[in-house]
Amino acid sequence: MDAVKRQLHLNLFIHGRGHHEASWRHPASSPRALTDIRYYQDLAQRAEAALFDSVFLADQLALGDDASQAARTWLEPVTVLAALAASTSKIGLIGTCSTTYTEPFNLARQFGSLDHISNGRVGWNIVTSWLATAAANFGGSGQISHSDRYARGEEFMTVVKALWDSWAADAVIDDRDHGRYALPERIRPINHKGDCYQVAGPLNLPRTPQGRPVFVQAGSSDTGRRFAARHAEAVFTAHLEKATAQAFYADLKSLTAAEGRSPGQVVILPGLSPMIAATEAEAQRLARELNELSDPEVGRKRLSGRFGGHDFSNLPLDRPLVPEDFPATASVEAARSRTEVILSLVRRESPTLRQLLGTLAGARGHFTFAGTPEQVADLIDDWFTDGAADGFNIMPPLLPSMLDVFSAEVIPLLQRRGLFRTAYEGATLREHYGLPWPQSSFDAAMREKV
Ligand SMILES: Cc1cc2nc3c(=O)[nH]c(=O)nc-3n(C[C@H](O)[C@H](O)[C@H](O)COP(=O)(O)O)c2cc1C
């Protein structure tokens, strides 16, 4: 019998009317309001029909200063995922929530509830929130440093894991005849007392269908990678070239092994924003058309946000950039890895500011590609088989049109090559990603007794 071929994983990253900065203005993007839940439900249903593993919603805790020229709308992800859970039945649902600006008990309840509501399809994108302006919305005492955010995130993980583990899977007996709803010895407090959190527990909710949500993470700095190696089961990452994606892949798999986990326990998903048409020339024309709609001043503001608010307003648009035009990466308290992606492009290619902003407008530093369905399938196949990816975070430049083209034209090619499922086999996100079940400490204690 043929061995089953290693399977590719696909996540749909839902973002505005598409990932291109100017997508909201393009006639091929959705006419619906970005506050209309039917827009998100429709996208999730399309992704489910195409057999994607999951959909993903990012989140930021501040508006941004370009709301007049860019479609900035951040419907709260937990709320949206609850609506998506009720309007889909198979696809995984991943939402972002910050360890810096929420309490572990709240988060454990919210994602625990979502896992119940969706029957085990939820993933949590763990972020420490890099955006400096978010701090001003939560107490106003300034941004917590990069290292303190990760230190707090570590303790946060200890607390939420214990909360999700505070009920044994068989704690609820719901015995009406004998008046016993739950077994008290199968529910226990956590009594956490740490530097940042004091949490008694237990959680006020039974153990969830997946035991706990799937842990997703996207930090790529050294600290971020170590955090991912300890906790993450799926990792999103941004690369502008295959070589850096390969280096990241090898490094994260070996860090994961060093943490005593099997490298198969973490699914690595680089971002890919494909513009697809019947010919390469047509795909490139579409990409140009979209680029021409973007406003370099919006890009300049976003670049400043990436570098923790650094002032780029005096930088001319048409002179080649040098690394000295940017602050040192180590001094940036925002998203350190993305600043590194940008700086290495500057070192490699010396683009002008206009060219750099054009590159970032496509998908904010993720890989963009314009070509035919065959070329996109070749690229996916190549990265997947050549140590750069376990799958992709698909970031259509225009939604829903480029998702539809990807689903109708690229996915069948991947299926024909035996790389992608032709039906859902499992029912949970954990099963779609091929991840092991988290062990309950109650069961572990039982086994020791036997
Ligand atoms: C695909 C992707 C999605 C992300 N989504 C979010 C998000 O929704 N909210 C957020 O605050 N950060 C988000 N991030 C940023 C990371 O979580 C992380 O904070 C950032 O990469 C900085 O961490 P680092 O300095 O360890 O790289 C995302 C990153 C990637 C690659």
Side-chain angles (χ1 to χ4, degrees):
M1 205 175 78
D2 284 352
V4 179
K5 232 178 168 171
R6 178 172 156 249
Q7 292 290 293
L8 179 76
H9 300 287
L10 295 176
N11 173 71
L12 171 66
F13 185 168
I14 299 177
H15 184 81
R17 293 197 180 117
H19 283 267
H20 194 286
E21 201 176 275
S23 58
W24 66 279
R25 303 176 61 191
H26 194 276
S29 66
S30 171
R32 282 200 198 274
L34 286 169
T35 44
D36 185 340
I37 191 62
R38 289 171 300 177
Y39 173 62
Y40 304 89
Q41 289 173 314
D42 174 61
L43 285 173
Q45 286 164 350
R46 285 174 200 245
E48 185 169 77
L51 305 173
F52 274 73
D53 294 67
S54 48
V55 296
F56 161 61
L57 300 170
D59 194 34
Q60 278 179 358
L61 296 168
L63 177 64
D65 59 1
D66 54 4
S68 64
Q69 307 123 300
R72 291 288 199 169
T73 299
W74 298 104
L75 273 185
E76 196 286 308
V78 171
T79 318
V80 176
L81 290 190
L84 299 189
S87 50
T88 56
S89 61
K90 294 280 190 208
I91 195 162
L93 306 167
I94 302 172
T96 298
C97 197
S98 170
T99 53
T100 305
Y101 301 114
T102 189
E103 285 288 322
F105 195 87
N106 283 341
L107 186 135
R109 281 190 84 193
Q110 290 172 315
F111 279 81
S113 300
L114 282 175
D115 206 39
H116 280 292
I117 294 168
S118 65
N119 291 319
R121 293 185 285 131
V122 159
W124 167 36
N125 179 36
I126 308 162
V127 302
T128 62
S129 297
W130 56 271
L131 196 67
T133 47
N137 291 331
F138 292 84
S141 53
Q143 192 179 21
I144 303 171
S145 72
H146 189 265
S147 60
D148 284 353
R149 288 204 306 276
Y150 272 112
R152 184 189 281 253
E154 261 320 314
E155 190 181 334
F156 196 103
M157 293 309 293
T158 305
V159 178
V160 290
K161 281 179 180 174
L163 285 170
W164 283 314
D165 203 29
S166 61
W167 288 59
D170 57 3
V172 176
I173 49 173
D174 207 356
D175 182 348
R176 293 174 196 231
D177 294 342
H178 299 94
R180 296 263 284 168
Y181 180 71
L183 301 171
E185 69 279 13
R186 307 292 284 160
I187 305 168
R188 63 184 172 213
I190 70 165
N191 294 324
H192 177 88
K193 290 191 175 61
D195 292 340
C196 305
Y197 304 106
Q198 315 266 318
V199 182
L203 193 61
N204 52 359
L205 184 71
R207 191 173 179 84
T208 79
Q210 292 185 110
R212 60 182 195 220
V214 169
F215 293 150
V216 182
Q217 208 260 0
S220 285
S221 64
D222 285 348
T223 328
R225 288 180 197 205
R226 283 196 302 276
F227 186 95
R230 271 193 293 281
H231 306 290
E233 299 172 289
V235 167
F236 296 142
T237 178
H239 296 276
L240 288 170
E241 355 161 52
K242 180 180 155 194
T244 63
Q246 284 172 314
F248 177 82
Y249 186 94
D251 187 47
L252 194 60
K253 294 279 178 178
S254 81
L255 286 171
T256 304
E259 292 289 338
R261 302 170 66 207
S262 122
Q265 276 174 254
V266 58
V267 173
I268 299 180
L269 306 168
L272 170 63
S273 187
M275 185 68 94
I276 311 159
T279 63
E280 191 180 335
E282 175 59 8
Q284 277 165 358
R285 190 196 62 75
L286 274 169
R288 266 197 312 278
E289 183 180 286
L290 203 45
N291 267 343
E292 277 157 21
L293 286 177
S294 50
D295 176 348
E297 293 317 312
V298 171
R300 206 194 276 266
K301 284 182 184 163
R302 290 199 175 177
L303 190 66
S304 165
R306 285 280 172 211
F307 283 85
H310 184 81
D311 183 7
F312 291 108
S313 58
N314 293 322
L315 216 53
L317 276 170
D318 294 308
R319 124 165 117 63
L321 292 166
V322 289
E324 293 68 40
D325 290 322
F326 297 81
T329 309
S331 72
V332 173
E333 295 296 347
R336 217 164 267 178
S337 48
R338 202 69 62 85
T339 54
E340 196 41 59
V341 168
I342 295 168
L343 273 170
S344 60
L345 176 78
V346 167
R347 279 185 220 109
R348 218 170 44 240
E349 296 176 14
S350 311
T352 63
L353 181 60
R354 193 188 300 280
Q355 287 164 335
L356 174 68
L357 297 180
T359 304
L360 297 178
R364 307 180 298 287
H366 289 265
F367 198 83
T368 55
F369 183 80
T372 64
E374 196 75 43
Q375 286 173 316
V376 176
D378 285 347
L379 183 137
I380 288 178
D381 196 342
D382 177 42
W383 283 42
F384 179 61
T385 49
D386 202 17
D390 294 316
F392 287 85
N393 191 14
I394 299 297
M395 304 169 58
L398 291 166
L399 283 168
S401 55
M402 275 301 141
L403 166 64
D404 289 343
V405 179
F406 183 87
S407 301
E409 306 290 340
V410 180
I411 288 186
L413 298 176
L414 299 171
Q415 289 168 327
R416 237 169 277 151
R417 297 181 193 192
L419 296 176
F420 191 62
R421 66 173 67 84
T422 52
Y424 285 112
E425 281 167 20
T428 64
L429 176 56
R430 218 162 259 295
E431 287 167 321
H432 299 337
Y433 279 163
L435 296 167
W437 222 253
Q439 206 188 38
S440 157
S441 58
F442 285 95
D443 299 338
M446 282 269 279
R447 263 192 294 281
E448 273 162 29
K449 271 193 215 149
V450 173

